[in-house]
């Protein structure tokens, strides 16, 4: 998860993820959105790939990059543990379900 946080800390990489959220793109298509060299874009794509945030697939002479949400879901789940809104939480080394609210079944009698 450390590689994911490191990759997400960079604003250029976050913008690349936004672009890939819209649709799969080649490195050249991604580079068109930035004022930097193609080797720099390639470096960012490699960092995102190493962090498990993007996947690449060769299609002919091009490599198509796509968003991989698996790690993002894991990171989001980790954050939700702190807010208490996640489905499960870690307590003393074991996982337990979030407690459900108790319904008041006692009625007042006049």
């Amino acid at each position: 998860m450390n590689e994911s946080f490191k990759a997400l800390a960079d604003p250029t990489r976050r913008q690349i993820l936004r672009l890939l959220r819209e649709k799969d793109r080649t490195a050249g298509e991604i580079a068109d959105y930035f004022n930097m060299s193609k080797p720099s874009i390639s470096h960012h794509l490699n960092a995102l790939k190493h962090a498990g945030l993007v996947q690449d697939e060769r299609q002919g002479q091009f490599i198509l990059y796509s968003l991989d949400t698996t790690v993002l879901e894991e990171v989001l789940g980790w954050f939700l543990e702190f807010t208490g809104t996640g489905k499960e939480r870690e307590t003393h080394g074991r996982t337990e379900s979030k407690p459900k609210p108790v319904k008041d079944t006692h009625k007042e009698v006049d």
Side-chain angles (χ1 to χ4, degrees):
M1 197 178 310
N2 287 341
E3 290 298 320
S4 302
F5 284 119
K6 184 177 174 183
L8 290 169
D10 186 280
T12 300
R13 294 178 190 147
R14 291 193 306 268
Q15 184 60 33
I16 290 171
L17 293 175
R18 286 184 194 101
L19 291 170
L20 293 176
R21 181 182 60 195
E22 295 170 4
K23 69 175 193 170
D24 298 350
R25 300 175 193 267
T26 65
E29 290 171 329
I30 293 167
D32 290 342
Y33 287 87
F34 298 93
N35 187 20
M36 64 178 65
S37 68
K38 289 186 179 183
S40 292
I41 293 296
S42 180
H43 170 76
H44 287 295
L45 286 168
N46 283 332
L48 289 167
K49 184 179 169 187
H50 182 71
L53 298 168
V54 299
Q55 295 178 340
D56 62 351
E57 179 183 340
R58 180 165 290 283
Q59 292 188 348
Q61 65 182 22
F62 298 102
I63 296 175
L64 196 63
Y65 291 89
S66 61
L67 185 62
D68 185 347
T69 58
T70 306
V71 172
L72 290 172
E73 291 168 0
E74 181 182 328
V75 170
L76 183 59
W78 184 80
F79 275 117
L80 290 176
E81 286 178 19
F82 290 102
T83 64
T85 58
K87 291 182 181 178
E88 295 181 341
R89 63 181 180 192
E90 189 76 19
T91 305
H92 302 294
R94 65 179 197 276
T95 302
E96 65 180 34
S97 296
K98 183 178 176 184
K100 295 179 182 176
V102 178
K103 199 186 254 187
D104 185 11
T105 56
H106 297 7
K107 294 183 181 179
E108 286 188 29
V109 180
D110 292 331

